[in-house]
Amino acid sequence: MGNANSLKHHLENAQKTGVCALPKRGLSEVPPELLKVAANLRTLDLSENKLTALPRAMEAFPQLKHLNCCQNRLGQLPESLGDLAKLETLLLSGNKITALPASVSSLKHLKTVNMRLYPWNFSSFKYVCVSYRA
């Protein structure tokens, strides 16, 4: 994953700023140390890694507004994603996800979901707005 001191530095900054950016670090799992600062995070960027799963305990991130998990190896998302009551942006393109957990439909502040180019199942949503840009 890279240098442990580098991760420590990122987590210290995340504690202060509420922003944790760990893109392109070759992560195959979410670092357990991230949970130590989870309560303060508003933005989490885990894009362009090798993640196959997100933590089941997403409720550990109660302030999270922006989650970027683009370009990973995610096949599904935990049901606890619906516990992120403040989530506004969910970026998931470049994964193997074909459906969102039903709990996501309870996210009242969710404005943007990006899951380009994959077969979708929107049966859990009351309303769906799909746009296409060439």
Side-chain angles (χ1 to χ4, degrees):
M1 179 198 94
N3 187 322
N5 285 333
S6 176
L7 178 60
K8 182 179 177 185
H9 176 71
H10 279 283
L11 295 177
E12 287 171 356
N13 282 339
Q15 183 70 35
K16 295 174 190 171
T17 65
V19 176
C20 186
L22 297 172
K24 299 181 184 178
R25 297 184 58 89
L27 299 173
S28 57
E29 64 180 21
V30 175
E33 300 90 344
L34 188 59
L35 293 176
K36 294 176 184 172
V37 299
N40 297 324
L41 291 183
R42 293 183 315 279
T43 300
L44 178 57
D45 182 354
L46 296 169
S47 62
E48 299 183 61
N49 281 293
K50 299 174 185 177
L51 301 176
T52 57
L54 292 177
R56 286 186 170 185
M58 291 304 291
E59 66 273 6
F61 299 85
Q63 302 302 317
L64 202 62
K65 291 184 176 189
H66 308 283
L67 178 59
N68 183 352
C69 291
C70 291
Q71 303 299 322
N72 276 285
R73 298 175 182 172
L74 299 172
Q76 62 183 14
L77 299 170
E79 198 60 43
S80 61
L81 198 64
D83 294 331
L84 301 177
K86 296 185 178 186
L87 194 66
E88 297 176 5
T89 306
L90 180 59
L91 306 177
L92 300 167
S93 64
N95 284 287
K96 300 175 182 179
I97 299 167
T98 58
L100 295 172
S103 64
V104 172
S105 64
S106 68
L107 297 175
K108 306 284 186 237
H109 299 285
L110 190 60
K111 298 174 187 170
T112 303
V113 177
N114 184 336
M115 288 179 56
R116 286 188 305 228
L117 304 177
Y118 293 96
W120 315 41
N121 176 0
F122 285 115
S123 61
S124 62
F125 288 92
K126 186 173 181 180
Y127 302 104
V128 176
C129 177
V130 177
S131 65
Y132 172 77
R133 287 187 235 154

